[in-house]
Amino acid sequence: MTAIRGSILLADDEDKILKRLGRALREEGHDVVEVGSAQAAKQQIGERTFDLLVIDNVMPGLSGLELIRELSNGAVAGERPQVVMMTAHATVESAIEAMKLGALDYLQKPFEVEELLVVVRLALERQRLQS
């Protein structure tokens, strides 16, 4: 079985995490765009389509939850990218809200890169089934 490759938008305000995760995703063959804020992610989403958004929740300005809330209000469910949220400041409430807004998973930092890669594979498989 061939591995599914996808276009991924990775948003995190921590440069070290952004670079590490971006490199790991590229090594798996994905097309990755890295941005340092939810506002920059919003701009990228307006310019092109992505199969998957991997979004940090706590960032300056617009939060990851606010970003996916805006996305869920503005797009048809079958046309939205899959969403994986990540945060170092997890709460049960934010995890529940992320899932209600359509996030596939909610990773609590620190997590192993391999854990993200597994979630990405599942998200891309799900995206292919929906499109």
Side-chain angles (χ1 to χ4, degrees):
M1 184 172 149
T2 322
I4 296 176
R5 311 247 187 281
S7 59
I8 300 172
L9 177 61
L10 180 60
D12 196 312
D13 60 323
E14 294 181 51
D15 195 54
K16 186 176 174 183
I17 291 173
L18 195 63
K19 298 301 180 204
R20 189 176 102 233
L21 297 180
R23 183 174 47 252
L25 291 166
R26 281 187 193 88
E27 287 172 359
E28 292 286 306
H30 302 293
D31 172 26
V32 181
V33 174
E34 299 172 8
V35 295
S37 71
Q39 197 61 38
K42 187 176 173 179
Q43 181 178 346
Q44 286 292 323
I45 293 165
E47 293 174 6
R48 63 175 279 195
T49 59
F50 293 93
D51 298 311
L52 173 63
L53 311 177
V54 179
I55 308 288
D56 185 28
N57 186 30
V58 180
M59 292 184 279
L62 191 67
S63 75
L65 278 175
E66 290 166 334
L67 174 64
I68 64 169
R69 190 176 301 116
E70 286 182 22
L71 292 176
S72 67
N73 290 335
V76 179
E79 297 174 3
R80 285 194 311 237
Q82 295 294 310
V83 176
V84 173
M85 295 291 298
M86 56 184 177
T87 188
H89 310 283
T91 65
V92 171
E93 293 80 14
S94 64
I96 290 170
E97 183 175 1
M99 298 302 183
K100 283 182 179 177
L101 291 170
L104 178 65
D105 209 334
Y106 192 92
L107 299 174
Q108 186 168 348
K109 294 178 186 175
F111 53 83
E112 296 295 324
V113 171
E114 187 57 41
E115 183 179 356
L116 174 67
L117 296 177
V118 168
V119 171
V120 165
R121 283 184 213 114
L122 292 172
L124 291 174
E125 286 173 10
R126 186 174 179 180
Q127 185 69 5
R128 293 296 185 262
L129 291 173
Q130 288 180 352
S131 57

